Amino acid sequence: MKLRLFFIIVGCILLLAGYAHYFTENELFQFITSSIAIVFLAAWLGKSTESVAHYAGDRIGGFLNATFGNAAELIIAFFLVKEGLFEMVKASITGAIIGNLLLVLGLSVLLGGLKYKEQTFNSKLASHNASLMMLAIVALFIPAVFMKELPPIKIETLSIVIAVLLIIAYVLWLVFSMITHRDFLSDIETHESEALWSKSVSMIMLGISTFFVAVVSEWLVHSVHQVSTSLGWSELFVGAFVIAIIGNAAEHSAALLLALKGRIGAAVEIAVGSSLQIALFVAPTLVLISLLMGRPMDIVFTTFELAAIGVATVITISITRDGATNWFEGVLLLAVYLILGTAFFFI
């Protein structure tokens, strides 16, 4: 009954967003309805991936949650690249990384910690995640350092080389974590859960929800530039916080539900794994996609963006390295997120 009501609401919101996009000229109305639609679609996506994860286990399930949870960000970013809004693309990448590390993980740790005094997960996995995030910071830092020393064509070449190396590193990480060392990095506890649908229905739901996320994402991008201009918001703030929060809705719902069920290991896998996927796969992929479109995007991030990613990574490593969490650590993560959000708003 609850699911039926949920899908009725999703259908009504989709119809409203479609009406706003095709039959009105009010871009603020288009932006608001598209944003609300993506949030509900991301919740649908989250339910679908959680159901699929039931049949695949926590490690692969966490990967699926992160992958399809990032579908909204990737699709939105793709259309932004198509429109040539590269600065907003980089801001949305920054926002997605810090949003997952600070907001999604912070809320999961806080709410899970209020229900359970302490939650534990595999500290070895946390250690490897920390090393991968440091790799991402190094890869983003190097082009920014050399930007003033190299001509644009060489910066583009450097960006392509780094993008390819990051994708290779991420693929090898999947081989390491999913195949050769899967047991070594598995969660320290096993958990029983129930799937919402059968395996085949779960896969169908996953495909349909991803399709609608793609459609509505294009509607959102159509209005976002004009809305940011009319409201006086910078592209940096819109990309890093507005679009990132909307795009992170799937991770929010999935990670929070898992944390409240005492499965903080799976919640960490979604939040941190999603950030790693964005930094090591999504961002480099967008660089390569931009080449195919004939409008190359470099991988040079601003000082503000690098500082935000660096700060988010450092505090996440500090909190997760012992393999245990409590509600106060969630407060710390959320405090840093609010500090960064305020700073970005005034830039």
Side-chain angles (χ1 to χ4, degrees):
M1 187 66 181
K2 289 182 179 179
L3 272 178
R4 183 180 299 176
L5 178 61
F6 172 77
F7 284 119
I8 291 173
I9 294 172
V10 171
C12 292
I13 293 172
L14 270 175
L15 289 174
L16 181 60
Y19 170 79
H21 179 73
Y22 290 109
F23 299 106
T24 71
E25 298 296 328
N26 189 326
E27 291 183 326
L28 180 59
F29 182 50
Q30 292 173 355
F31 177 78
I32 292 173
T33 54
S34 296
S35 298
I36 294 172
I38 284 183
V39 170
F40 276 88
L41 287 170
W44 180 7
L45 196 68
K47 290 178 183 294
S48 302
T49 50
E50 186 179 3
S51 188
V52 172
H54 168 78
Y55 300 100
D58 270 0
R59 285 289 298 128
I60 296 177
F63 170 72
L64 289 173
N65 267 298
T67 300
F68 284 93
N70 282 334
E73 285 107 323
L74 179 58
I75 294 166
I76 291 172
F78 171 81
F79 288 114
L80 289 172
V81 168
K82 187 177 179 181
E83 295 293 323
L85 300 173
F86 296 148
E87 296 308 312
M88 195 175 287
V89 172
K90 295 173 189 176
S92 67
I93 290 170
T94 301
I97 293 172
I98 65 177
N100 280 300
L101 292 180
L102 300 177
L103 182 59
V104 177
L105 184 59
L107 285 173
S108 300
V109 171
L110 172 61
L111 298 181
L114 291 175
K115 187 174 182 180
Y116 305 95
K117 189 171 184 180
E118 183 178 76
Q119 292 182 291
T120 57
F121 58 97
N122 194 321
S123 59
K124 297 183 181 70
L125 177 61
S127 176
H128 284 287
N129 284 339
S131 299
L132 285 166
M133 284 308 302
M134 292 305 298
L135 168 64
I137 290 176
V138 169
L140 297 178
F141 179 75
I142 293 299
V145 170
F146 286 93
M147 181 179 65
K148 294 181 181 179
E149 304 296 330
L150 297 176
I153 185 64
K154 291 187 177 181
I155 288 292
E156 289 178 10
T157 304
L158 177 61
S159 297
I160 294 169
V161 172
I162 291 175
V164 172
L165 289 174
L166 287 179
I167 291 173
I168 292 173
Y170 183 69
V171 171
L172 292 177
W173 161 245
L174 293 181
V175 172
F176 177 84
S177 62
M178 301 289 183
I179 301 175
T180 65
H181 288 67
R182 180 176 179 176
D183 295 336
F184 179 74
L185 297 176
S186 63
D187 200 0
I188 58 177
E189 296 180 10
T190 57
H191 305 272
E192 295 296 327
S193 61
E194 294 185 4
L196 290 173
W197 304 290
S198 67
K199 187 176 181 179
S200 58
V201 172
S202 298
M203 294 297 292
I204 292 171
M205 287 291 187
L206 194 59
I208 295 173
S209 57
T210 302
F211 169 77
F212 279 117
V213 166
V215 172
V216 180
S217 294
E218 185 175 16
W219 297 349
L220 177 69
V221 171
H222 177 76
S223 61
V224 67
H225 183 66
Q226 183 61 38
V227 169
S228 64
T229 302
S230 62
L231 294 177
W233 293 347
S234 67
E235 289 189 355
L236 186 60
F237 177 74
V238 172
F241 287 87
V242 179
I243 289 179
I245 289 174
I246 294 168
N248 277 340
E251 285 95 333
H252 286 148
S253 57
L256 289 178
L257 288 173
L258 289 168
L260 289 171
K261 293 176 182 177
R263 300 173 60 187
I264 194 64
V268 170
E269 179 67 20
I270 291 172
V272 178
S274 181
S275 292
L276 288 173
Q277 191 174 80
I278 290 166
L280 302 179
F281 183 77
V282 173
T285 298
L286 290 171
V287 171
L288 299 181
I289 287 175
S290 70
L291 290 176
L292 299 178
M293 294 181 175
R295 306 175 73 173
M297 181 182 80
D298 60 45
I299 203 168
V300 178
F301 284 67
T302 67
T303 303
F304 303 112
E305 292 164 341
L306 292 173
I309 294 172
V311 167
T313 300
V314 169
I315 191 168
T316 301
I317 290 173
S318 174
I319 284 173
T320 59
R321 63 185 175 185
D322 61 348
T325 62
N326 54 66
W327 68 264
F328 183 67
E329 291 177 332
V331 171
L332 297 178
L333 291 169
L334 292 173
V336 174
Y337 186 74
L338 292 175
I339 290 170
L340 290 174
T342 305
F344 272 54
F345 182 77
F346 289 116
I347 291 175

